[in-house]
Structures are given as C-alpha cells and as structure tokens.
Amino acid sequence: MFALIDGNNFYCSCERVYRPELKQQPIIVLSNNDGCVISRSSEAKDIGIKMGVPYFQIQHLIQQRKLTVFSSNYELYADLSRRMMNTIASLVPAIEIYSIDECFADLHNLNNLHQLGHNIRNRIQQWVGIPTCVGIAPTRTLAKFCNHLAKRYRHHFNGVIVWTDWNPNIQQRALASTPVSEIWGIGRRIGQKLAAQGIHTALDFINAHTPTLRKQFGVVLERTQREMQGLPCSELIINEASRQHIVRSRSFGNIITSLDGLQAAISHHISAGAAKLRQQNSHAHIISIFIYTNRFRHDQSQYNGYQSIKLPQPSADTLTLNHIAQNLLRNIYRPGYKYKKCGIELSGIEPAQTFQQQDLLYPSQHNHSTKLMSAWDSITSRYGRNSIQLGSELQSSHWHMTRAQLSPCYTTQWHNLLEVTDQLARNNYL
C-alpha cells in the first residue's frame, strides 16, 4: 500500500502559516518577477481567479481589497516543505519526495490505514500548519488518483480516501466520474488522443484493450493502465538519484544592457550549480552559457548567444567554473542589446570518485580545490547561502528578481523572526 500526501494550495498555505488572519481570505502567489498567478487559495478560485493569469489583469481586485497578493518566497516554501516531509517520515516506514508539496509514503505492514491518513493530516496541520489531503491505494498511480478525489471532495471525505475501503461499485462510480486526462501521467494532450478513440473516463481507460494501448502509446501508458487496475509497476525511490544535467537560469527583474550585469548573474548561477555538484559528490565535464533578449518584444532587436566548452579537467570548483563561464560570456556578449535572461548548463556529470587521466598542460589542483570548497560549503551551510559570494556577483543587482510583495522569511532569517506583541496575544492570533 502507498499513500500520496499533498499540500493544499501549498504556496498560499505557506503564506497563511504566519498570517492566520488570512485563513478565509482570497490570496494568490505570483511567479518570478511578479509575472502571473501560480498558486491560488480556494477563496481566490471561487471569485474566478484563473491559474496563469497575468498580474496586471487582476490588480484592480487588490486595490479594491478583495484579494491579497504575495511574491514567490521560495526560501520560506522550501523550509516549510522540509518540515512537512520530516513530519510525514515520523509516521511511516519510508517516503519518496515527489515535489516541493507532495510525497509518496510506504505503508507496508501498517494497519488501520484510514486512521493513519487522518493522523498524518492532523500532525502536519499541528506541527507545520499546512492543510493536506491523503490518498491511499495498492499502487502509486491509484494513490495519486485517490488524492485527487480527496482534494476534489475534501469536505465530503475529510481529506482522506483509502481505495480498498470502497466496494467495487463505488470504485467504478469514482472512475466513471473522472476524465481520463486527470490520471497521473496522461494529461490533456494524450487525453485528447484517447478521447478520439472513445476513452473519455478513467473507467474507460481501465477497461481499454491493453495490447492496443501498448501498440499505439507505448509501454509507459500500459504500465499506467495496469497501476490503475491495482497491479503495481513501480516502487518508491527512497534515495534521490544524482542529476546528470544541471541548469540554472532566470529572467531578470530589469532589462540588462551592460556586461557587468550579465557577469553578476552568471556568477550567481555558477555558484548554485557548483554547490549542487558538490552536494551530490560529482563533477562536470562540460559547461555552457546562454544569454537571451526578450523574444516577446518584437519592437526590439533580438539576439540569442550560446557557447559550450569541454573542460580540460572535470570540476565542481566554483572559482574554476566561474573563470571559464566568464570567458564564455565575454565571447558571446554583444553590446547594444537589451538582455532579459541568462543561464548556465553543467553536463557530462559523473561521480567525483571516477578516475581521471591527468593533463600535462593543466596540472591538477584537486587537493587544494577540495579543501577550499569544503570550507566554503561548511560556512554557507552554517551561516546561509549568501554568506560567501563571488566578487563578480556583486557588480550589479539589476538582474535580481522583482518581488514587490515578498513576505518575510520567518523560519530562516533572524531579522525576519515573527515578533509577538501584546496586541497579537489579545487577538488570539498565536
């Protein structure tokens, strides 16, 4: 048996943890640079706010005090996600973190699963403050399906559904009432192709001719069907696999027209990418750099620059990678353009223990580099990611994201700790 635990409207719920007066209020969270809506509370959905709607189209609701808006506070969301996952892990044998707001849990040899689902929900609510829904079933795909139903009808089922608690008639009714596109791994595009063949609901999908599905859509869709039929085709992935390709990029908060601004942004992305390499004990053989203008501004000159190089020696050293990246940037930079985005790619990634043939033209500085980066990581782990920065990263701040409605980082920054006053206590906010 598997459980899928999912945080409801996760980003919005995170904002409410330290702002309980917003519990019944419509709130939204915006994407990078405050572009569009990426998370909505149930109340915001009820007043017609659509996912992905541009911010400028709903600003009048904020001015009328009908809606509360937040910029994306990824540091807060990541920390509350970590607390949520640790809370779930305290009640089950093992978990697989699927995304920032959901995870699968192994319920092997556990009894009274319905009560366990409520225990998980209650503990997360009490310890972290995030409302959740829980779907429990014999396969991961069915657990995801049950979670969808628990969220869709959360007031009826109180946020928990156990597939095996239902008799076959109820199971078939649930399957028949759900579009096939809602099944995990199918989506809108494949759903349209299935609908063209008369497969409209989850029940139609389960009863479809398996050899025909495999012939037309491949073995992956066949496995999805078998999982929906209750036959496990996948297990939990307890240990996160090392990344084989690392990309760091971001659109700028302001247009960049100088090399200094691009250099600062590239240094920031290189630092993050190199830290990820060291975290998974690996190094990269290839580094690539790209810079873009705003492709949506047809009234402006367009330019896309890209260059890649194979390193003489694989590395996870921030200083080494940044030196090479800055050389690549200078090669592709063209003055006179208005740049909107840049990024880096690290590929050819392999474990750091892999033997490497030494290059006579590039003497190895491995021992010195390892000690220096170990000290770097130790300091940033203790004092925060920005406690050490490359000098080139400080040349400009114009590339930073626009986050005009950013909430405090209540759990990770000392100066953002919540202040409890007598007035707050009298209002029973805490």
Side-chain angles (χ1 to χ4, degrees):
M1 298 294 288
F2 300 89
L4 190 280
I5 304 99
D6 182 21
N8 299 338
N9 311 317
F10 184 71
Y11 288 177
C12 290
S13 296
C14 289
E15 297 292 352
R16 281 175 166 167
V17 169
Y18 295 96
R19 293 286 303 277
E21 73 274 16
L22 298 176
K23 185 175 182 181
Q24 302 298 329
Q25 302 298 316
I27 68 172
I28 59 170
V29 174
L30 302 175
S31 62
N32 291 350
N33 296 312
D34 294 345
C36 60
V37 176
I38 59 171
S39 183
R40 307 162 293 163
S41 67
S42 299
E43 295 79 11
K45 297 174 186 177
D46 291 340
I47 64 174
I49 304 297
K50 303 296 183 183
M51 182 67 82
V53 64
Y55 177 41
F56 72 88
Q57 293 184 6
I58 55 175
Q59 280 186 312
H60 64 283
L61 296 176
I62 299 161
Q63 294 167 357
Q64 297 169 7
R65 302 188 177 225
K66 295 180 179 179
L67 186 66
T68 303
V69 61
F70 291 96
S71 301
S72 295
N73 188 340
Y74 298 119
E75 191 170 350
L76 175 66
Y77 308 153
D79 189 63
L80 291 182
S81 172
R82 177 187 60 81
R83 298 177 184 216
M84 173 177 153
M85 301 308 170
N86 289 342
T87 301
I88 297 169
S90 70
L91 289 167
V92 298
I95 66 171
E96 174 195 341
I97 299 176
Y98 181 65
S99 67
I100 192 171
D101 64 338
E102 60 185 327
C103 76
F104 289 98
D106 175 18
L107 306 186
H108 183 64
N109 286 336
L110 298 182
N111 300 316
N112 198 358
L113 299 182
H114 193 271
Q115 184 58 50
L116 175 61
H118 284 290
N119 291 344
I120 291 173
R121 290 189 75 237
N122 294 337
R123 183 171 291 189
I124 295 173
Q125 183 67 58
Q126 181 179 8
W127 288 13
V128 188
I130 302 294
T132 57
C133 286
V134 181
I136 299 175
T139 71
R140 298 205 307 166
T141 305
L142 265 180
K144 185 85 169 174
F145 178 75
C146 289
N147 180 275
H148 166 73
L149 295 176
K151 186 174 293 187
R152 183 177 177 184
Y153 305 106
R154 62 182 177 275
H155 298 300
H156 182 75
F157 295 108
N158 200 19
V160 176
I161 289 179
V162 181
W163 185 250
T164 51
D165 285 352
W166 289 350
N167 62 49
N169 289 333
I170 298 178
Q171 291 177 354
Q172 290 203 350
R173 285 170 54 192
L175 293 165
S177 66
T178 305
V180 67
S181 58
E182 294 292 344
I183 296 175
W184 183 37
I186 292 184
R188 181 178 58 86
R189 182 173 298 180
I190 297 179
Q192 290 174 345
K193 295 180 179 179
L194 291 171
Q197 301 185 27
I199 302 174
H200 300 281
T201 67
L203 183 61
D204 295 335
F205 179 70
I206 285 177
N207 294 330
H209 188 239
T210 302
T212 301
L213 280 180
R214 176 167 184 164
K215 182 178 180 180
Q216 295 184 349
F217 298 97
V219 68
V220 174
L221 201 66
E222 179 192 1
R223 289 173 181 165
T224 300
Q225 184 196 41
R226 295 191 182 280
E227 286 240 331
M228 286 297 293
Q229 293 169 343
L231 304 173
C233 296
S234 63
E235 297 294 334
L236 258 61
I237 303 174
I238 306 302
N239 298 317
E240 181 185 4
S242 296
R243 296 188 184 182
Q244 302 301 308
H245 190 75
I246 295 175
V247 178
R248 289 289 186 271
S249 67
R250 185 177 296 161
S251 295
F252 305 139
N254 300 289
I255 294 297
I256 298 295
T257 57
S258 67
L259 180 60
D260 288 351
L262 293 174
Q263 288 176 326
I266 289 294
S267 294
H268 174 80
H269 296 317
I270 281 290
S271 295
K276 183 61 181 179
L277 285 174
R278 297 193 296 272
Q279 180 184 344
Q280 64 183 31
N281 194 28
S282 62
H283 49 207
H285 285 264
I286 301 172
I287 181 171
S288 306
I289 302 296
F290 57 87
I291 54 178
Y292 299 155
T293 53
N294 190 344
R295 61 189 177 92
F296 297 105
R297 291 293 303 271
H298 302 293
D299 59 320
Q300 297 179 356
S301 301
Q302 298 295 312
Y303 170 69
N304 297 331
Y306 177 88
Q307 192 167 31
S308 180
I309 190 173
K310 188 177 187 300
L311 305 180
Q313 294 290 329
S315 177
D317 185 294
T318 300
L319 302 179
T320 300
L321 294 176
N322 184 62
H323 176 73
I324 297 172
Q326 297 298 339
N327 287 335
L328 294 177
L329 175 62
R330 282 188 285 269
N331 290 339
I332 63 176
Y333 172 72
R334 300 291 182 272
Y337 289 97
K338 298 180 179 180
Y339 295 98
K340 181 61 177 176
K341 184 177 183 179
C342 76
I344 63 102
E345 300 177 45
L346 300 173
S347 53
I349 296 174
E350 61 182 23
Q353 297 88 350
T354 304
F355 173 78
Q356 295 294 328
Q357 179 67 44
Q358 298 299 309
D359 193 320
L360 294 176
L361 299 179
Y362 294 91
S364 175
Q365 301 291 328
H366 176 73
N367 291 335
H368 173 74
S369 170
T370 300
K371 292 179 181 178
L372 179 60
M373 290 300 104
S374 178
W376 182 308
D377 293 336
S378 176
I379 293 172
T380 55
S381 175
R382 181 172 182 180
Y383 296 106
R385 185 189 311 174
N386 295 325
S387 54
I388 298 182
Q389 293 177 280
L390 294 168
S392 53
E393 186 178 342
L394 305 178
Q395 293 182 103
S396 172
S397 61
H398 292 298
W399 62 274
H400 290 175
M401 281 194 300
T402 299
R403 295 197 284 182
Q405 311 295 333
L406 184 65
S407 58
C409 296
Y410 297 103
T411 63
T412 55
Q413 299 290 338
W414 285 108
H415 63 276
N416 287 160
L417 284 177
L418 189 67
E419 297 181 3
V420 183
T421 65
D422 291 340
Q423 184 62 41
L424 284 171
R426 282 196 295 271
N427 291 340
N428 294 320
Y429 281 171
L430 297 175

